[in-house]
Amino acid sequence: MGFIGRGNRALKSSAILAAPACSGPAVTVVVCANRRYRILQNEIARAGVAQPELKALALTDLTRPVIDWVALARGFGVPACRVGSDGELAGALNRALAERGPWLIEVVIA
């Protein structure tokens, strides 16, 4: 099982999904999707910028467009689902771990 939570994974999404899809290992990828480059937002704040300009905010926003991890995984032939609560995550993990082959679970974090 792998947990992914960094925005830069969007740049490597094909590599994340292509290997499990091709070789078929029982790998469950959990994407923690907060829809932003939070680490960059933290660094802006640490630099003392209380109110970043709109351009800076736009560069750390991953909602235009929202990355559809479920559709991306399915495009590689990998079963996938999206969850929004701990109960849904537990059910999705049980389902993914019970099946043979790769799985992707997108956890939407507010």
Side-chain angles (χ1 to χ4, degrees):
M1 180 179 311
F3 284 88
I4 299 170
R6 300 184 86 161
N8 67 355
R9 296 303 179 250
L11 303 175
K12 301 171 186 165
S13 58
S14 60
I16 292 167
L17 296 169
C22 292
S23 58
V27 173
T28 299
V29 176
V30 179
V31 176
C32 301
N34 67 359
R35 312 275 196 247
R36 56 189 166 170
Y37 278 111
R38 184 67 178 152
I39 189 71
L40 295 180
Q41 291 174 344
N42 288 344
E43 291 303 316
I44 290 169
R46 285 179 45 172
V49 180
Q51 293 294 325
E53 293 183 25
L54 290 178
K55 286 184 181 181
L57 292 174
L59 293 172
T60 63
D61 178 23
L62 296 177
T63 61
R64 294 182 326 255
V66 169
I67 299 168
D68 189 339
W69 289 98
V70 172
L72 189 62
R74 289 179 180 161
F76 279 93
V78 174
C81 68
R82 181 175 295 109
V83 300
S85 71
D86 55 351
E88 290 175 339
L89 176 58
L93 283 170
N94 287 332
R95 185 170 58 248
L97 296 174
E99 295 183 15
R100 297 174 54 99
W103 250 88
L104 180 133
I105 301 168
E106 178 184 11
V107 182
V108 179
I109 302 170

